Amino acid sequence: MAFYYPEPSRTFSEYLLIPGYTSEECRPDNVSLKTPLVKFKKGEEPSLSLNIPLVSAVMQSVSNDSMAVSLAKEGGVAFVYCSQTIENQAAMVAKAKSYKAGFVVSDSTLRPEYTLADVLSILNKTGHSTMPVTEDGNPNGKLVGIVTSRDYRVSRMQKDVKVSEFMTPADQLITAPKSTTLKQANDIIWEHKLNALPIVDDNGCLVSFVFRKDYSSHKDNPRELLDPDKRYTVGAGINTLDYEERVPALVEAGADVLCIDSSEGYTVWQKRTIEFIRGKYGESVKVGAGNVVDKEGFLFLAEAGADFVKVGIGGGSICITREQKGIGRGQATSLIEVAAARDEYFEKTGVYIPICSDGGIVLDYHMTLALAMGADFLMLGRYFARFDESPTKKLNINGTYVKEYWGEGSNRARNWQRYDVGGDDDLSFEEGVDSYVVYAGTLQDNVAKSLYIVKSTMCNCGVMSIPQLQDEAKITMVSATSIVEGGYHDVTLRSTNTTV
């Protein structure tokens, strides 16, 4: 006879936090959100930690190199999606890793015969106004000039005028040799009042740029997450099929941490993937695994050697796994059980394995609840897909700005590797949908607001760190009537449409 759980599985909206004593010192500015990203032994510090408990999902519509840079600036980590060629994914990782080093490879390179129309098209696509001009249009081709917004006026020029006619030619540019250090490059920028300094090799070929705006980046982003070489920390997704080729390429590109991207992690395929990584790299390459929803799944991946474990099946806003397959579990119930298993494993072995809550976060207060229930950090897809920094298009639908957002199990993504169970290499049915999310602006502004709410709630609970929240939080289940009571009720809302 099948085993039946005596209690229903529950979601975050079915719980509330009970306030605790708030001392004078317990203010949002004093709250620390630092949290471990990978496993560590009792009495030791983890080799990788997050400054904020947020990572972005391994999804085409969420995590590319731009998201990796933007999220690392805020103190989190993006996992660059793996449903693309190994070469393309490795290039994204390498690009993100090179960004913080100060030497930026251009993604907006022109050829001399390009036109102003091409310049405007690239500007609209990348948002980058400084564009090098090389003989062959290659980012590392022979530099012949540069185009910036100061070189043209759209209202006074024809769109078919060639780049060679209005660019600033190379012989009028201040450049620096390939051997230039970042400090030397910044000194040249300040001495000559430049916005950008091209770095060229002995043959006059463009190597990279150093930008004035990056000089003050650390002051503007005090929580930024850096590796020992002062580069941004970057994650990358892998699957359980081509890992023998993909993992070495990602490690070579500089990925700091890997994550097996799969809808279900309690499988022999994940164990084999981790065993390959441990056999080839030992403990030097960090890899998370999942997803699981119970104690048995967590212990399986812990014993397999996972550096962190993702929790959650079917709770994502674009995920229809529960509808299609009838498998999964309420996110809150899953997290509570796995957190207890994590703590029990720590007491038994002295090894702390962080858990990541993946899915089910709809409102900002769900973040705090997930952390209180034991999550060390949260993986978010829909949340990050709404921002400027996600790789999808911003569209105007019926007067509302939206961004495209689709699941890895949708026909659009066709990421059948994520749902591999040892069968044919095809997506037999969908486990995700293709959708829109309402556009929300910049990542920095929204993350700052969300985390202020988290910190403020933690202060209401009388705690000043995530471990303290997990130890001291008091959580109550609420009835359906209580949920209704928690929102506005018995009133008529006034119109909030105002002109600013």
Side-chain angles (χ1 to χ4, degrees):
M1 179 177 177
F3 175 79
Y4 290 87
Y5 285 90
E7 295 291 332
S9 63
R10 301 187 180 278
T11 67
F12 294 129
S13 291
E14 296 178 78
Y15 293 89
L16 289 174
L17 290 156
I18 301 298
Y21 171 69
T22 303
S23 67
E24 186 176 337
E25 292 75 26
C26 196
R27 303 190 305 270
D29 289 346
N30 291 338
V31 172
S32 170
L33 293 179
K34 188 171 183 178
T35 189
L37 176 59
V38 297
K39 66 184 178 184
F40 59 95
K41 294 181 179 179
K42 188 174 183 179
E44 298 180 358
E45 290 293 319
S47 58
L48 287 174
S49 293
L50 298 165
N51 290 329
I52 63 172
L54 305 181
V55 302
S56 66
V58 189
M59 300 176 69
Q60 295 175 10
S61 55
V62 178
S63 297
N64 63 349
D65 50 288
S66 297
M67 179 60 70
V69 170
S70 298
L71 188 48
K73 285 181 179 179
E74 299 306 311
V77 165
F79 287 91
V80 176
Y81 72 92
C82 57
S83 52
Q84 59 178 319
T85 66
I86 295 172
E87 294 75 18
N88 286 349
Q89 187 187 16
M92 282 188 181
V93 170
K95 186 175 180 182
K97 291 299 294 183
S98 68
Y99 188 97
K100 181 54 194 173
F103 298 97
V104 182
V105 177
S106 173
D107 63 355
S108 307
T109 311
L110 307 168
R111 296 175 64 162
E113 63 268 26
Y114 280 13
T115 65
L116 177 59
D118 295 318
V119 171
L120 298 177
S121 175
I122 293 173
L123 175 63
N124 183 60
K125 180 181 178 182
T126 66
H128 298 155
S129 58
T130 299
M131 304 181 191
V133 185
T134 62
E135 286 184 346
D136 57 2
N138 189 297
N140 298 119
K142 185 174 180 61
L143 183 67
V144 296
I146 282 182
V147 170
T148 72
S149 58
R150 294 177 297 182
D151 292 312
Y152 59 86
R153 293 188 67 178
V154 177
S155 61
R156 297 189 178 186
M157 296 170 62
Q158 297 296 318
K159 296 288 181 66
D160 60 355
V161 62
K162 294 188 182 304
V163 165
S164 58
E165 297 181 33
F166 61 88
M167 69 181 186
T168 301
D171 58 10
Q172 296 181 22
L173 297 173
I174 295 174
T175 63
K178 188 176 179 179
S179 59
T180 303
T181 66
L182 185 57
K183 183 181 184 307
Q184 291 170 335
N186 282 319
D187 288 343
I188 294 171
I189 286 173
W190 286 101
E191 179 184 352
H192 295 279
K193 301 180 180 179
L194 305 175
N195 288 322
L197 175 68
I199 307 297
V200 298
D201 64 17
D202 293 339
N203 297 316
C205 292
L206 181 65
V207 176
S208 59
F209 275 102
V210 177
F211 291 96
R212 171 190 286 262
K213 63 182 177 63
D214 291 337
Y215 179 81
S216 58
S217 176
H218 180 67
K219 294 180 181 178
D220 295 336
N221 301 281
R223 294 188 306 267
E224 61 184 358
L225 198 63
L226 307 176
D227 68 14
D229 296 319
K230 304 300 182 183
R231 302 176 301 173
Y232 285 130
T233 301
V234 179
I238 60 174
N239 60 57
T240 58
L241 290 170
D242 63 8
Y243 55 86
E244 293 187 5
E245 295 79 35
R246 191 174 293 269
V247 170
L250 295 174
V251 172
E252 176 67 23
D256 298 280
V257 58
L258 306 176
C259 179
I260 302 175
D261 179 41
S262 176
S263 65
E264 204 271 297
Y266 194 179
T267 71
V268 65
W269 319 115
Q270 294 222 0
K271 182 179 180 182
R272 289 178 182 175
T273 304
I274 297 171
E275 286 176 344
F276 166 79
I277 293 172
R278 293 291 171 252
K280 186 174 179 66
Y281 299 101
E283 296 291 332
S284 64
V285 171
K286 306 302 179 183
V287 57
N291 289 21
V292 299
V293 294
D294 61 6
K295 176 179 180 178
E296 288 76 14
F298 170 82
L299 292 176
F300 173 80
L301 293 177
E303 293 298 332
D307 286 293
F308 65 84
V309 174
K310 288 200 298 169
V311 180
I313 293 177
S317 60
I318 41 70
C319 184
I320 56 174
T321 294
R322 296 180 193 175
E323 293 181 17
Q324 291 283 56
K325 290 182 173 180
I327 66 168
R329 200 179 192 188
Q331 188 66 14
T333 300
S334 302
L335 190 55
I336 291 168
E337 180 173 327
V338 173
R342 184 267 319 278
D343 293 344
E344 182 181 330
Y345 186 85
F346 180 50
E347 288 297 320
K348 179 181 177 180
T349 67
V351 177
Y352 186 92
I353 302 177
I355 58 176
C356 168
S357 181
D358 179 15
I361 301 290
V362 180
L363 303 171
D364 285 336
Y365 84 88
H366 290 168
M367 295 182 182
T368 319
L369 271 171
L371 296 170
M373 290 175 176
D376 295 283
F377 57 96
L378 318 173
M379 179 171 277
L380 307 172
R382 181 196 61 86
Y383 179 84
F384 287 115
R386 304 173 301 145
F387 303 150
D388 287 321
E389 293 81 0
S390 73
T392 61
K393 297 178 181 177
K394 183 174 75 171
L395 306 172
N396 189 315
I397 305 294
N398 298 324
T400 299
Y401 281 106
V402 298
K403 295 205 74 175
E404 297 175 301
Y405 180 47
W406 60 91
E408 289 298 292
S410 67
N411 273 324
R412 182 170 185 175
R414 300 208 65 79
N415 183 8
W416 63 269
Q417 296 95 332
R418 188 177 196 273
Y419 302 88
D420 177 51
V421 289
D424 296 332
D425 53 347
D426 196 10
L427 188 68
S428 301
F429 58 90
E430 288 187 284
E431 292 190 45
V433 299
D434 193 348
S435 63
Y436 299 117
V437 289
V438 176
Y439 168 69
T442 67
L443 181 149
Q444 184 179 44
D445 290 344
N446 282 275
V447 166
K449 179 182 177 181
S450 294
L451 295 182
Y452 189 85
I453 292 174
V454 171
K455 290 181 177 183
S456 179
T457 306
M458 290 170 65
C459 288
N460 292 144
C461 295
V463 301
M464 297 174 62
S465 69
I466 292 174
Q468 189 182 7
L469 175 68
Q470 293 168 347
D471 288 341
E472 301 179 17
K474 293 182 290 184
I475 303 173
T476 183
M477 193 180 298
V478 295
S479 68
T481 306
S482 295
I483 294 173
V484 174
E485 180 187 57
Y488 66 84
H489 57 88
D490 301 311
V491 296
T492 299
L493 288 185
R494 298 175 62 179
S495 173
T496 57
N497 292 329
T498 58
T499 301
V500 177

